[in-house]
Amino acid sequence: MCPLIPGSPQGGTDLEKHRDLLMVENERLRQEMRRCEAELQELQELQAKPATPCPGCEHSQESAQLRNRLSQLQLEVAENKGMLSELNLEVQQKTDRLAEVELRLKDCLAEKAQEEERLSRRLRDSHETIASLRAQSPPVKYIIKTVEVESSKTKQALSECQARNQHLQEQVAMQRQVLKEMEQQLQSSHQLTAQLRAQIAMYESELERAHGQMLEEMQSLEEDKNRAIEEAFARAQVEMKAVHENLAGVRTNLLTLQPALRTLTNDYNGLKRQVRGFPLLLQEALRSVKAEIGQAIEEVNSSNQELLRKYRRELQLRKKCHNELVRLKGNIRVIARVRPVTKEDGEGPEATNAVTFDSDDDSIIHLLHKGKPVSFELDKVFSPQASQQDVFQEVQALITSCIDGFNVCIFAYGQTGAGKTYTMEGTPENPGINQRALQLLFSEVQEKASDWEYTITVSAAEIYNEALRDLLGKEPQEKLEIRLCPDGSGQLYVPGLTEFQVRSVDDINKVFEFGHTNRTTEFTNLNEHSSRSHALLIVTVRGVDGSTGLRTTGKLNLVDLAGSERVGKSGAEGNRLREAQHINKSLSALGDVIAALRSRQGHVPFRNSKLTYLLQDSLSGDSKTLMVVQVSPVEKNTSETLYSLKFAERVRSVELGPGSRRAELGSWSSQEHLEWEPACQTPQPTARAHSAPSSGTSSRPGSIRRKLQPSGKSRPVPV
Ligand code: ADP
Ligand code: MG
């Protein structure tokens, strides 16, 4: 018997078992599917929730990745679901076909059973007939035949049945084959289901992992949130506590203030009562305060007066000390400067050096004149190696004294070509005393700017053939006059002399350039002309002390004198003779003035030349004079050098101010500069000679243009 024949308990069980198993499996898969769907739904809901704002949280990125992964998984699950439903459909179809086949098989089997039943019944009947026939005699033979006939029929029927049975068995085998195929199909779908299940398991584990991560993340976020809440809570508690404490403090303060407030209220009421009488009290208090202030002002005034008095005394003392110092040093200082030998000196014996110095004493100069050594002692001697700065160093103390209100004269004296202009003006690359002096004045004035206000003005003039010209004026050829002030003060002034205020080195350069241009356009041979004229740079420094109102005026005269060389009587005529006469006259006058000052004569002949007349307030009194005697070192100039040095030594021994150095005085002749004419000593009104006002700056000269004080004592005195 076939084990799979339907109806047989064995075969029916196997097929049904398979089908039942498949259906159970199917059901289980459906349930899993539903569960997965439910989870998915959950996840989707979670995903759909607005992302918890967690800026900067590292989990948000991870969460986004997980969400992406989840959506991928969802897609895959959807695909699998599709596949599963297809498989389900297929299984359903196969189950239907199987049920059909089973039904047909059942029908066939029932038919077969019926046929067998009928055949066996006929067989039994036939057996019974045969047996009954055998029991009968001859007729039995016949009967046997009949039976045989009948038996062959039966046999035929049997064979037919057997053939049918065979056919049925074939059909069953065929059905079994179909069943086998179906079993195989079932097996393969089983495998597919197993694979799908494995995939689903994998997805599930992934889902579980993602879910776990999400949960962890949510947990950590939750923890963070809780922590933050706890911290905030703790802080709030602390703050609350502080606020409570403050409140308690304020309460206690309030409690303590209440009595104070009561007292204040009482006081206020008391004051209110008092205020009614306040105007009277106020008047009283005002009166007394006014009196006190008045007294204080008086005291301050008197102490101010005292201070002012002391300050003035101090200034006087300073002036005295300065005068004393000047007296001790001598207020006429003479230095010599020897220029280097230049190409212009030529070559040969005439150009040999005739000047030597004392290595131990820088005030000694030796000159070899016509084979005879002659030595001179001056205040200082500069050798050819001395720089412009070295020379300036020597004169800068004089220059700064201008700021204190002293008048200063610096002369460059010497024969033409000895270096006067080089020392005074210098070159653009290496400026001389003029520019350095102004620079120094600027910086000194700046240092004092906190207390004093200074103005520095500059005039430039030239004296040629006894005519005074303004080098900064619009008409330099115009001759200027030195006049007495019409106000009867006895002061001098030069009407029309231009005065420029200078504030910087640039200004100075412009002024110098302007003066130079004026001179150049005026004279075709400037070199020759300048050696025969005196060039004056007059710097006036006016100061006002902001706190005391004290005023000072100091004047610095920088003079590049005309060449001191003597012109032989016979060698000159016409213009040259006139020039020489004028130069001699003015240089002699300078000598005369110095001689008169030295010998303290009642009359000092300032008016004998324009030069001395113009410079009279800078030559007299406690003014200071520095003469730079320029020396040519070469043999051919020794006569002039000797002459210059003699002149210098004599000038040096003269004093301008009180006290004297008479012991040092050498012989002096006002004629020494004159070859042809004696210095005319015009009698001067005595009032102008020594009319020193004892005090009051109002009478001080303001500028050489406005007023030139004739007095011998022209230092400013505090107001
Ligand atoms: P002065 O004005 O007395 O006639 P200068 O000043 O014109 O003489 O000088 C004559 C020449 O000598 C100029 O070329 C000048 O540059 C030069 N000289 C004068 N003194 C010096 C010195 N100390 N160093 C260098 N050169 C000098
Ligand atoms: Mg010169």
Side-chain angles (χ1 to χ4, degrees), residues 1-21:
M1 267 244 212
C2 172
L4 287 172
I5 286 171
S8 92
Q10 188 73 40
T13 313
D14 275 355
L15 267 176
E16 276 162 8
K17 255 186 194 166
H18 270 295
R19 193 193 58 206
D20 292 346
L21 272 173

Side-chain angles (χ1 to χ4, degrees), residues 414-422 425 519 526-527 529-533 560-563:
Q415 72 177 110
T416 299
K420 298 184 293 297
T421 306
Y422 185 84
E425 284 179 21
R519 250 183 145 188
L526 180 64
N527 264 349
H529 169 79
S530 62
S531 74
R532 284 162 206 167
S533 62
D560 183 354
L561 290 169

Side-chain angles (χ1 to χ4, degrees), residues 425-569:
E425 284 179 21
T427 58
E429 311 79 50
N430 203 1
I433 291 172
N434 290 5
Q435 202 183 84
R436 287 172 199 262
L438 279 158
Q439 278 182 17
L440 179 69
L441 285 177
F442 284 139
S443 68
E444 290 284 317
V445 157
Q446 209 128 34
E447 263 178 39
K448 287 181 151 192
S450 55
D451 304 318
W452 287 77
E453 196 183 306
Y454 284 100
T455 49
I456 300 176
T457 54
V458 168
S459 298
E462 177 191 79
I463 298 170
Y464 174 67
N465 282 349
E466 279 303 278
L468 178 64
R469 292 166 197 274
D470 180 8
L471 290 180
L472 303 179
K474 286 186 180 125
E475 290 172 21
Q477 67 278 18
E478 193 186 331
K479 291 179 187 175
L480 299 179
E481 290 302 323
I482 305 166
R483 290 192 197 285
L484 261 177
C485 264
D487 61 2
S489 62
Q491 292 175 359
L492 297 173
Y493 78 115
V494 181
L497 181 65
T498 311
E499 199 176 58
F500 279 129
Q501 186 172 343
V502 284
R503 291 186 183 83
S504 64
V505 178
D506 266 4
D507 289 353
I508 306 165
N509 288 336
K510 275 181 206 153
V511 167
F512 286 172
E513 208 173 301
F514 187 53
H516 201 258
T517 316
N518 265 348
R519 250 183 145 188
T520 321
T521 47
E522 197 63 14
F523 300 98
T524 41
N525 190 344
L526 180 64
N527 264 349
E528 214 166 273
H529 169 79
S530 62
S531 74
R532 284 162 206 167
S533 62
H534 310 299
L536 291 99
L537 182 71
I538 303 156
V539 182
T540 312
V541 185
R542 296 183 185 88
V544 185
D545 183 345
S547 54
T548 61
L550 188 76
R551 285 169 190 276
T552 60
T553 306
K555 217 192 289 175
L556 171 66
N557 302 279
L558 301 159
V559 190
D560 183 354
L561 290 169
S564 63
E565 62 272 14
R566 293 154 300 166
V567 177
K569 263 182 191 169

Side-chain angles (χ1 to χ4, degrees), residues 271-536:
L271 279 171
K272 224 164 139 185
R273 280 193 293 278
Q274 279 178 19
V275 159
R276 286 188 203 115
F278 186 69
L280 268 176
L281 267 173
L282 189 71
Q283 272 178 3
E284 191 66 31
L286 270 175
R287 250 199 308 279
S288 75
V289 164
K290 264 184 193 165
E292 270 174 35
I293 288 173
Q295 204 179 336
I297 287 172
E298 247 168 55
E299 275 168 22
V300 167
N301 253 348
S302 64
S303 76
N304 258 357
Q305 291 291 327
E306 180 64 16
L307 280 173
L308 206 63
R309 202 176 53 74
K310 279 183 182 166
Y311 180 59
R312 283 180 180 157
R313 211 180 53 209
E314 204 58 41
L315 271 180
Q316 295 285 352
L317 255 173
R318 200 174 144 196
K319 192 182 154 197
K320 255 190 187 167
C321 285
H322 179 81
N323 286 344
E324 188 62 16
L325 190 74
V326 165
R327 192 186 66 77
L328 289 171
K329 273 182 103 178
N331 56 7
I332 291 190
R333 300 188 70 228
V334 180
I335 60 174
R337 185 182 193 187
V338 182
R339 71 154 167 83
V341 178
T342 62
K343 269 191 212 151
E344 284 72 35
D345 292 321
E347 282 173 6
E350 283 210 319
T352 53
N353 181 45
V355 177
T356 50
F357 306 92
D358 192 320
S359 55
D360 298 323
D361 192 343
D362 64 0
S363 59
I364 305 287
I365 182 170
H366 306 291
L367 176 74
L368 196 64
H369 176 56
K370 292 180 181 166
K372 272 193 251 166
V374 200
S375 297
F376 295 90
E377 188 186 350
L378 303 171
D379 290 303
K380 179 140 182 130
V381 175
F382 286 103
S383 71
Q385 286 78 41
S387 68
Q388 297 282 62
Q389 181 58 29
D390 294 337
V391 176
F392 184 68
Q393 200 109 32
E394 188 66 23
V395 305
Q396 71 178 23
L398 271 185
I399 287 158
T400 46
S401 73
C402 257
I403 297 171
D404 297 327
F406 287 94
N407 289 342
V408 176
C409 269
I410 298 176
F411 296 101
Y413 177 95
Q415 72 177 110
T416 299
K420 298 184 293 297
T421 306
Y422 185 84
T423 294
M424 297 311 285
E425 284 179 21
T427 58
E429 311 79 50
N430 203 1
I433 291 172
N434 290 5
Q435 202 183 84
R436 287 172 199 262
L438 279 158
Q439 278 182 17
L440 179 69
L441 285 177
F442 284 139
S443 68
E444 290 284 317
V445 157
Q446 209 128 34
E447 263 178 39
K448 287 181 151 192
S450 55
D451 304 318
W452 287 77
E453 196 183 306
Y454 284 100
T455 49
I456 300 176
T457 54
V458 168
S459 298
E462 177 191 79
I463 298 170
Y464 174 67
N465 282 349
E466 279 303 278
L468 178 64
R469 292 166 197 274
D470 180 8
L471 290 180
L472 303 179
K474 286 186 180 125
E475 290 172 21
Q477 67 278 18
E478 193 186 331
K479 291 179 187 175
L480 299 179
E481 290 302 323
I482 305 166
R483 290 192 197 285
L484 261 177
C485 264
D487 61 2
S489 62
Q491 292 175 359
L492 297 173
Y493 78 115
V494 181
L497 181 65
T498 311
E499 199 176 58
F500 279 129
Q501 186 172 343
V502 284
R503 291 186 183 83
S504 64
V505 178
D506 266 4
D507 289 353
I508 306 165
N509 288 336
K510 275 181 206 153
V511 167
F512 286 172
E513 208 173 301
F514 187 53
H516 201 258
T517 316
N518 265 348
R519 250 183 145 188
T520 321
T521 47
E522 197 63 14
F523 300 98
T524 41
N525 190 344
L526 180 64
N527 264 349
E528 214 166 273
H529 169 79
S530 62
S531 74
R532 284 162 206 167
S533 62
H534 310 299
L536 291 99

